[in-house]
Each structure stands twice: as C-alpha cells, then as structure tokens.
Amino acid sequence: MLRQISEDVRVNLKDRLREVREIIRQSRHDGSGDASILREATSHLPPFPGKGIEGLLSHAASAVDEALSIAEAFVPHERPIKVDGTTVKGLGTYFPVGNEDRQLDAERLFRRDMYYLTKAVLAGLNIDNARIHEADFAAVHATMRKRHGDLLAALAAPGAGLQAIAATCSALLVECLNQRPVRFAETVPGTPAGGRALDISCLAPLALACGLATTGRDGAPEPDMLEIAILAADIRHDRIVQACAKANPISELTPVFATLLAHLP
C-alpha cells in the first residue's frame, strides 16, 4: 500500500514538473518558444513597473531551461534509447498474472511506454503543444485490471486467440478515451468540438500496436510496427469513431480490431 501511494505521488509530481518545464521552454527569449505562454502564465500577477520585464523573464526562462537540461544529463532515466515499434510490449506483459509487486512493475512499464509512444504518435501526426499525463495512463492500467478482469483472464488463458486480443485492445482504447491522458492546446485542429475524434487519432494506434505486439507473428516486434499502427488506425478512423459512439463500444470495436490484427503484418 505504501509503495503504491509513493508511486502515485511520484507520477503526479513528474506530470506537474513536465508542465512547468514546458511553460519554461515555451518562454525562452531566443525565439524557440511562444511568448504568449509566458503572458498566460503570469497573467494573474500584478503589472510590473517599467518596461522590458517580459524580455527579462524570457532570458530567465532560458537560463532555467538550460540549467534543467544540464541537470537532466546527469540524472539516470528509464527513457528508451529509441522509441519505435520495438518499444511496444504485448498485452500479457502490461497486464500479467501475478502478485501485487509484479502488477506494480507492469503498471510502471505500461505508463512509461505509453508516455513515450504517445509522444512518437503525436510527432507522427504533426501535433505540437499537447501534454501527456503519465498519471492518467496509470489510471487506465488500474481500470483495466478492475473493470476488465474477465478480458485479461481470457487473454492469459492457454490458446487465447485473436478475438481475445482484439477485445482487450478495444477495452484499452475505451479506457484511454475515458481517462484522456493527452490534453491538446486550443489551437489544435479538431478541438474542442472534435476533441473525441482527435483523441482517437492519438490513442487508437497505441491500442492497435499493443495488439500487434501480442499477436507476435515472428516473436519479435518490428521497428516500423508503430508506424503501421498509425497508418492502419488512420485508415479505419471513421469506423473506430463510430464504434466508440455506440452504447457498447467494446463490442463494436472488437471486430474492427480483429480485422486489422488479422491482416496487418
């Protein structure tokens, strides 16, 4: 219990620090950031006397950003050396059968991989200024275990087939959509009115990639597997959006994922 509490605190702290770092990085004086971010972050403060205070703050943000970059170089990270299709693990790895310690280790691996894979998907979709929350992926993992234990048990059963994998992928996408681990800037096309469709564009490739890693045609993930998942999810985007809008989205999504998993390499 204490380990879980400390892990939750650490994950939430990481998310908050990333948000602060993003504000600092977007406020640099050298033009690599967006000055409007700085104005928004300081809008609640009383006006500063004199002129040029915004430029002074931008220089300060640059100095802090560079100092944090140097500090990061000396701090060990659990960051993948390269994020591609080989980063994705099978669903059995993320949701194993075992004691609480094994579940916590799997949850940590899941949210770490999902964080970096989401960054890769956002880059592939040319979406900037989106914030990813690891804590929400942790909530997805917990909800999958609590709400979809029957699907996970079927997945772990001997001889589990494509339908079991597709159903678990469907549940994973639905829970990701419920938790919304990716938050988009208002300027991103498709928000706020089309936010659900944009969420699906970013999250469906993750669920599909996990399914592809689970089917394991040759026993080893391929570097281009994430790219394949992004393209396939884009091709079936309208069908996935329609399925997610139904009263029972998991049952509607399962045949969609089953078809993709059966035909993708």
Side-chain angles (χ1 to χ4, degrees):
M1 178 63 74
L2 288 176
R3 182 184 174 189
Q4 179 64 59
I5 292 173
S6 63
E7 190 73 9
D8 290 344
V9 171
R10 190 171 76 89
V11 173
N12 279 281
L13 181 59
K14 283 172 65 178
D15 285 338
R16 300 292 83 76
L17 288 175
R18 281 172 178 148
E19 290 180 357
V20 172
R21 180 68 185 280
E22 186 63 22
I23 291 173
I24 291 173
R25 183 165 287 164
Q26 292 289 337
S27 305
R28 291 179 61 94
H29 76 286
D30 54 12
S32 60
D34 183 354
S36 64
I37 301 293
L38 177 63
R39 287 193 291 271
E40 179 183 348
T42 59
S43 60
H44 65 287
L45 299 175
F48 289 98
K51 297 180 179 180
I53 190 65
E54 188 171 296
L56 180 62
L57 289 175
S58 295
H59 278 78
S62 299
V64 172
D65 186 31
E66 289 166 3
L68 289 173
S69 296
I70 293 172
E72 283 180 342
F74 293 96
V75 177
H77 291 278
E78 296 181 21
R79 182 180 302 170
I81 297 175
K82 184 178 181 182
V83 179
D84 55 23
T86 62
T87 306
V88 189
K89 314 296 188 302
L91 292 165
T93 299
Y94 292 135
F95 303 99
V97 176
N99 58 27
E100 192 65 21
D101 284 343
R102 188 177 182 189
Q103 298 295 338
L104 287 173
D105 289 340
E107 181 266 329
R108 184 186 298 111
L109 180 65
F110 173 79
R111 58 176 167 74
R112 186 206 70 164
D113 285 356
M114 292 303 108
Y115 175 83
Y116 288 109
L117 289 167
T118 302
K119 288 188 71 173
V121 171
L122 290 171
L125 296 174
N126 295 315
I127 296 176
D128 298 320
N129 297 329
R131 293 177 180 173
I132 309 166
H133 290 171
E134 266 193 60
D136 292 326
F137 278 121
V140 170
H141 191 275
T143 304
M144 285 291 294
R145 290 176 54 199
K146 181 178 180 180
R147 189 176 297 171
H148 304 291
D150 56 335
L151 294 179
L152 297 178
L155 187 68
L162 201 61
Q163 282 296 116
I165 298 173
T168 307
C169 289
S170 301
L172 180 59
L173 175 57
V174 169
E175 297 307 335
C176 283
L177 291 171
N178 289 339
Q179 296 297 333
R180 298 199 67 219
V182 185
R183 309 296 168 85
F184 303 97
E186 292 295 327
T187 56
V188 174
T191 57
R196 184 78 163 181
L198 187 58
D199 285 337
I200 290 171
S201 295
C202 297
L203 297 171
L206 302 181
L208 182 56
C210 289
L212 288 172
T214 307
T215 58
R217 298 285 195 277
D218 58 1
E222 296 291 336
D224 61 352
M225 190 165 64
L226 182 61
E227 183 179 351
I228 291 172
I230 294 172
L231 292 173
D234 181 61
I235 291 172
R236 302 300 293 162
H237 181 262
D238 290 344
R239 180 68 184 90
I240 294 173
V241 170
Q242 293 170 6
C244 289
K246 299 294 185 179
N248 190 343
I250 295 177
S251 64
E252 296 286 339
L253 283 168
T254 297
V256 179
F257 277 111
T259 300
L260 290 173
L261 292 172
H263 292 91
L264 290 176

